[in-house]
Amino acid sequence: MSGTRLTMVTLGANQFQTQQDQSTFINWILGFQFGSLIVGSTVIVYIEDSVSWGLGFWLCVAVNVIGLAIFLLGSRFYRHGKPRGSPFLTLARVVFASIRKRKITVTSDDADNYYYGQDRNSEAKVVLVQPRKNLRFFNREALKTEGDAKSDGSEAKSRRLCTVGEVQDLKTPISVLPLWLTAIFLATPMAAQSSLTILQALATDRHLGP
């Protein structure tokens, strides 16, 4: 699926306002996705093995065409987010700016010197939450120093000053990186096993009774 299943989950959840509605949608769509996986591994495989490979193939094509048609017909009702540039550029800017400010010492007394501003990647209201203590090396990028901000508090040099929210956006994927790397050892044998499911089924006795 080339990652489209997870992409569709986030796209659909973005259509809802409250976190409860988003969680409910994710539960339902994941349930339907795994349900369709069961149907594809049983009903479609049975049709291809017992009736015709062509019929099973065209059934899959028909279902995908219907799903695509429903998706396109409802596109005018979707919430379309405005493009705000590549998030990777923002993450890279935080890294390079933190390196440029590596000589600045971050202490617990700098709570009032962090730059919150208006998060470039969000239209939500600014929440004054101090940056987390993990990966404190990147906190210096949100620390206002001489020449970083104008007299009215607005940002003067975007290459030297980022918001606290942007710093947290970089910390989040770094924090889950060990978990993601650990999951590779589990996902690799699962992918290898799932690719041999049909061959395993063909080599076994598939009768439920005499």
Side-chain angles (χ1 to χ4, degrees):
M1 295 295 290
S2 302
T4 54
R5 287 184 296 179
L6 297 179
T7 303
M8 295 301 295
V9 171
T10 55
L11 175 64
N14 191 45
Q15 306 301 313
F16 298 91
Q17 295 284 355
T18 64
Q19 184 175 0
Q20 182 178 1
D21 293 338
Q22 294 175 349
S23 301
T24 303
F25 171 81
I26 292 176
N27 291 337
W28 276 101
I29 191 173
L30 289 180
F32 274 105
Q33 286 183 354
F34 285 105
S36 63
L37 181 61
I38 295 175
V39 173
S41 301
T42 54
V43 178
I44 300 299
V45 172
Y46 175 80
I47 293 175
E48 292 176 343
D49 184 49
S50 303
V51 182
S52 170
W53 276 89
L55 177 60
F57 173 79
W58 286 110
L59 283 176
C60 296
V61 172
V63 172
N64 280 274
V65 170
I66 294 174
L68 179 60
I70 295 175
F71 174 78
L72 295 178
L73 290 175
S75 60
R76 60 177 179 174
F77 302 105
Y78 299 153
R79 292 176 56 195
H80 299 279
K82 297 180 180 179
R84 303 182 184 92
S86 173
F88 299 103
L89 295 178
T90 301
L91 299 181
R93 186 165 57 84
V94 174
V95 174
F96 288 115
S98 299
I99 295 175
R100 295 179 62 180
K101 286 187 173 183
R102 61 185 179 276
K103 296 183 180 180
I104 299 177
T105 303
V106 180
T107 63
S108 58
D109 299 330
D110 297 325
D112 297 332
N113 294 327
Y114 286 114
Y115 177 69
Y116 297 92
Q118 177 65 42
D119 196 338
R120 302 181 190 85
N121 297 327
S122 175
E123 295 179 353
K125 296 181 180 179
V126 178
V127 180
L128 302 182
V129 179
Q130 296 184 14
R132 299 172 184 173
K133 295 182 179 180
N134 64 320
L135 301 172
R136 288 185 296 178
F137 173 79
F138 298 107
N139 289 349
R140 66 192 72 228
E141 168 52 21
L143 194 63
K144 290 184 291 187
T145 59
E146 184 178 357
D148 288 344
K150 299 178 182 179
S151 57
D152 58 355
S154 59
E155 184 180 0
K157 297 180 179 179
S158 59
R159 291 176 297 177
R160 289 181 52 86
L161 185 64
C162 293
T163 65
V164 173
E166 290 171 338
V167 174
Q168 294 303 126
D169 290 341
L170 175 64
K171 288 184 178 182
T172 300
I174 295 178
S175 300
V176 300
L177 187 60
L179 179 62
W180 179 79
L181 293 175
T182 305
I184 293 179
F185 297 98
L186 178 62
T188 301
M190 289 179 61
Q193 182 180 6
S194 62
S195 63
L196 300 176
T197 303
I198 306 301
L199 294 178
Q200 292 174 348
L202 293 176
T204 58
D205 184 2
R206 302 185 299 278
H207 294 89
L208 299 179

